[in-house]
Amino acid sequence: MSFSFSAKTVLLFLMLLTVSVFPQKKDEFNWNDLDKYVEQEFGKIIKGTAEDKMIQDIAKNISKYIYSNEHKLTIKLIDNDEPNAFAFGNGNMYVLTGLFKTTESVNELAFVIAHEFSHVLLQHSTEAEEFKSRFNISSQDDQKMKAFTREQEYEADKYGILYALRAGYSPLGSVNWFNKMTNLGYEYPPLYVDYSDHPNFTQRVVQAFINIGTYYEYAKHFDYGLLYITMGNYSEAAEAFGKFLEKYPNYKEAYNNIAVAQMINVVAEKDVTLDLWVSASLSKVSLFADNFDKPVRGNYTFQTRDFADALESIQKANKLDPKYAQPYVNLALINIFTKDYTKAKTNLDLALKYDAELFEAHIAKGFLLVEQNNLKDAIKSFDNAIQIDNQNAQGYYNLAWAYQWNKQNDLAIQAWQRFLVLMPEGNYADIARQNLEALKTGNAPTITKNDNNPKDKTVYSTNNLGLAGVELNDDQTEVKNTLQTPDNKTADKSGDVWEYLTPNITIGFDKAGKVEYVLVFDRIEKGLESVGNINVGSSVEEVINKFGRPIQVLTEGGYLVYNYQNLGIAFWVLDGKVKGIGIYRI
């Protein structure tokens, strides 16, 4: 689609552009004044008519399936009898009233609008290129007279059909409009009548039928991908989105969703459970929502290389649109999982810069702040998410947890109650009711000022401290002799990290290969002597009877961490029960 003028009109149009209306130099052109320039050349902008309402409604519907923060798509109606519509690289689109004479249904009009928006989203023309081709056409070089190449026109048709179809309009709108234009004598868009490399309407009808067939064969894979994610089949989801991209390689949303599937798959393979309700962006799929039996919050270890595939997909999405906010949220989640909190903050700042109203970005920011034990600001982030969408239960769920961890019990109760109004059933609702009951009965874990002296007078030594049969300062051979070969081997700044899945044990080594810490998050049958035979599942009272009140109590995600710094022993506590045990060198 482009301008539709007779040859005579084109000459007049060129003269007007170069002499009176549009500036001669790019740096003189102000895109904020585009409406003024368009009105001077084409006619008055019309607002509030039935035709204006129709194009606004169509544009709104199509925009639901177009995620663009680089281009804020707007549409305006111009009083002009030419049957045309055109869009500029900054996202402004103009429909001439004459177009309505060539459209017999809303489906045809929707295709034309979707086609023009596709030119913008596919970045077929930068502002500089558009300025030369549309506003300062003083050269006789044919190449400078063409706004779009043949391939770009076909591509805009293809994606225009895609966007129109996903917005609920008939794909035959494209075919019918091309046929109508041909019947009216417009074999080419008139501006291009002398440029045979621009596809004519007959050629475009043939290609439109091919594009419609392609849509029905391949678009289903996009929806399959979303379904697979909700089912937890993440590798199948990535494969489905990849199948879709074979025919729609410039659909950035598919790259973003592949990244989501790849990211969740990595985390799921680690059997990680999060207390917070964290969602990846765009797909609206909750991460780790149905696996609350073995919480290991703060005990997961990821390396950046674990997310290599997801990072590559995110890069592709951002290449198509550098201001596309959703991938920055997903990138920030990867940063959080790899404990690179500085980069996580940078990426969330970018996401919110490009879309300040992105619900998932505020949730992810709250998640980051919780991981940094900054509950005060986490509460603000979750509240910001609620201000954006107060009917989304996810915001209240996370806010309730943050209040509870911050010991603001009255506010936590209110947030849990609001959450249950919005989501009365399901796993999250069960957790909410448990927490609500604990808060109301006073059984939620709290720290009191009781006597710090233990009732058990056994003196626990820091010498030869051990857990699960592994002692601090054991070498890796000794650990293998005790626990066999680990299920996963990674490394952090201190040294190697070995992970055993059953039971859930993590062992950290120093640079010399000596055991520096041992963490256990499952019940074990032996090797508990150094920790007073306290086991996962023991009560807080048992811990205090053995060791007294802890010197330090930390908040780590959903847990209270009873840290006995004088002994090098720590217990992760949730709902009055020990969920994890750790020993470390002091």
Side-chain angles (χ1 to χ4, degrees):
M1 283 289 296
S2 192
F3 298 102
S4 53
F5 297 96
S6 66
K8 182 177 180 180
T9 305
V10 170
L11 292 176
L12 176 60
F13 178 54
L14 295 182
M15 181 181 69
L16 290 173
L17 287 179
T18 57
V19 175
S20 59
V21 177
F22 296 102
Q24 297 292 299
K25 297 179 181 179
K26 178 186 173 185
D27 57 6
E28 295 175 0
F29 184 76
N30 186 348
W31 284 89
N32 293 326
D33 294 330
L34 184 58
D35 282 354
K36 179 182 70 176
Y37 297 143
V38 169
E39 280 194 303
Q40 286 181 274
E41 197 55 47
F42 295 99
K44 184 179 179 181
I45 293 175
I46 302 174
K47 297 180 180 180
T49 64
E51 291 177 337
D52 179 50
K53 184 179 186 303
M54 183 180 295
I55 64 172
Q56 298 297 337
D57 288 344
I58 292 172
K60 182 178 180 181
N61 289 336
I62 292 174
S63 291
K64 293 177 183 177
Y65 297 90
I66 296 175
Y67 303 90
S68 177
N69 293 300
E70 183 172 12
H71 306 289
K72 297 300 181 183
L73 304 177
T74 63
I75 189 168
K76 295 178 182 179
L77 184 65
I78 300 291
D79 186 12
N80 189 305
D81 288 337
E82 287 289 342
N84 214 337
F86 49 90
F88 295 88
N90 67 344
N92 283 31
M93 179 179 174
Y94 300 89
V95 173
L96 307 186
T97 53
L99 182 64
F100 286 86
K101 299 176 183 178
T102 67
T103 55
E104 297 180 352
S105 75
V106 69
N107 298 311
E108 296 162 26
L109 191 59
F111 165 72
V112 173
I113 291 173
H115 170 100
E116 288 300 330
F117 277 158
S118 294
H119 276 308
V120 176
L121 296 168
L122 294 167
Q123 304 179 41
H124 282 167
S125 177
T126 63
E127 290 182 358
E129 291 168 340
E130 277 196 18
F131 181 78
K132 290 180 180 179
S133 63
R134 289 187 170 176
F135 293 149
N136 192 19
I137 311 175
S138 57
S139 172
Q140 297 304 310
D141 183 352
D142 287 351
Q143 294 300 316
K144 293 184 179 179
M145 289 291 293
K146 301 168 189 171
F148 305 103
T149 68
R150 173 186 293 268
E151 290 75 17
Q152 288 174 331
E153 198 68 13
Y154 278 139
E155 188 177 37
D157 284 347
K158 178 179 179 180
Y159 281 84
I161 290 171
L162 170 69
Y163 288 126
L165 258 166
R166 294 191 76 82
Y169 299 101
S170 169
L172 294 177
S174 59
V175 174
N176 294 339
W177 187 76
F178 290 144
N179 285 333
K180 183 67 178 290
M181 289 296 286
T182 300
N183 293 336
L184 291 173
Y186 296 96
E187 184 60 16
Y188 290 92
L191 177 61
Y192 293 107
V193 69
D194 295 325
Y195 305 103
S196 59
D197 73 330
H198 195 83
N200 61 42
F201 288 128
T202 301
Q203 293 168 320
R204 291 168 72 181
V205 165
V206 173
Q207 192 61 42
F209 277 115
I210 295 173
N211 289 334
I212 292 169
T214 298
Y215 176 89
Y216 283 111
E217 182 179 356
Y218 283 85
K220 62 185 178 184
H221 293 291
F222 188 91
D223 297 324
Y224 288 164
L226 294 177
L227 180 61
Y228 282 136
I229 288 179
T230 62
M231 295 169 61
N233 298 332
Y234 308 122
S235 59
E236 290 90 341
E239 183 179 345
F241 291 126
K243 191 73 173 175
F244 173 84
L245 283 165
E246 289 178 11
K247 294 298 181 181
Y248 297 96
N250 290 319
Y251 201 74
K252 63 192 178 188
E253 292 83 354
Y255 287 114
N256 184 59
N257 278 11
I258 282 183
V260 170
Q262 292 163 333
M263 175 175 60
I264 302 175
N265 193 47
V266 170
V267 177
E269 287 178 348
K270 295 273 191 176
D271 200 23
V272 169
T273 303
L274 300 184
D275 293 314
L276 290 180
W277 183 351
V278 182
S279 291
S281 191
L282 178 65
S283 67
K284 311 299 182 187
V285 175
S286 302
L287 300 184
F288 334 116
D290 302 314
N291 186 17
F292 287 93
D293 293 333
K294 294 196 296 181
V296 289
R297 181 159 192 79
N299 189 39
Y300 51 80
T301 302
F302 293 107
Q303 303 296 321
T304 300
R305 62 176 176 269
D306 294 332
F307 298 101
D309 291 339
L311 291 168
E312 182 179 355
S313 298
I314 289 173
Q315 185 179 30
K316 290 177 180 178
N318 278 341
K319 185 176 180 180
L320 290 170
D321 185 350
K323 296 182 180 179
Y324 179 26
Q326 283 83 351
Y328 289 107
V329 176
N330 296 325
L331 186 55
L333 290 177
I334 291 175
N335 297 145
I336 295 171
F337 294 140
T338 56
K339 303 191 188 318
D340 192 342
Y341 299 142
T342 300
K343 285 186 179 178
K345 182 181 183 303
T346 298
N347 285 311
L348 286 172
D349 286 346
L350 285 171
L352 291 168
K353 174 183 177 181
Y354 298 136
D355 189 351
E357 300 296 305
L358 184 58
F359 180 89
E360 295 90 349
H362 291 282
I363 293 294
K365 185 175 181 179
F367 175 36
L368 169 62
L369 292 165
V370 166
E371 291 294 283
Q372 295 176 304
N373 294 320
N374 185 351
L375 293 173
K376 181 179 178 181
D377 288 338
I379 288 168
K380 292 179 182 178
S381 290
F382 295 138
D383 189 59
N384 286 338
I386 290 170
Q387 299 305 313
I388 292 168
D389 185 357
N390 63 12
Q391 296 302 304
N392 192 322
Q394 183 180 2
Y396 290 99
Y397 184 91
N398 292 333
L399 182 65
W401 265 123
Y403 277 139
Q404 186 166 323
W405 296 331
N406 206 37
K407 303 176 187 175
Q408 296 174 267
N409 290 354
D410 290 342
L411 292 173
I413 288 172
Q414 293 176 26
W416 286 125
Q417 289 173 332
R418 177 58 182 163
F419 168 79
L420 286 168
V421 170
L422 295 172
M423 184 173 283
E425 302 296 336
N427 286 333
Y428 289 120
D430 292 341
I431 292 169
R433 289 191 179 91
Q434 292 171 12
N435 283 325
L436 194 56
E437 180 65 22
L439 288 166
K440 288 182 175 180
T441 59
N443 291 328
T446 57
I447 301 300
T448 60
K449 295 182 179 180
N450 292 342
D451 186 3
N452 286 331
N453 295 320
K455 294 179 182 179
D456 184 342
K457 300 304 180 181
T458 302
V459 177
Y460 295 96
S461 171
T462 59
N463 297 324
N464 301 318
L465 200 60
L467 185 60
V470 176
E471 293 186 358
L472 298 180
N473 296 311
D474 278 355
D475 60 31
Q476 294 186 350
T477 300
E478 290 173 307
V479 174
K480 278 188 179 180
N481 290 338
T482 302
L483 297 178
Q484 306 302 318
T485 302
D487 295 295
N488 294 309
K489 290 184 179 181
T490 57
D492 57 24
K493 294 180 180 179
S494 298
D496 292 337
V497 177
W498 288 7
E499 296 174 339
Y500 297 84
L501 300 181
T502 307
N504 188 341
I505 300 174
T506 300
I507 299 175
F509 299 90
D510 60 19
K511 296 293 186 182
K514 302 291 185 178
V515 174
E516 191 170 39
Y517 64 85
V518 180
L519 304 175
V520 175
F521 279 80
D522 276 336
R523 287 188 67 85
I524 55 178
E525 301 302 322
K526 59 183 180 179
L528 294 165
E529 294 79 14
S530 293
V531 294
N533 290 314
I534 299 295
N535 207 340
V536 171
S538 297
S539 68
V540 171
E541 288 73 18
E542 292 177 81
V543 173
I544 294 175
N545 285 340
K546 291 286 184 179
F547 298 100
R549 288 287 166 184
I551 294 175
Q552 182 184 47
V553 178
L554 304 173
T555 301
E556 186 176 275
Y559 299 112
L560 295 176
V561 183
Y562 285 34
N563 187 20
Y564 295 87
Q565 293 170 299
N566 57 322
L567 298 175
I569 300 174
F571 299 93
W572 282 257
V573 175
L574 180 66
D575 294 335
K577 298 291 185 180
V578 174
K579 299 296 184 180
I581 305 169
I583 60 172
Y584 57 92
R585 287 203 304 233
I586 57 176

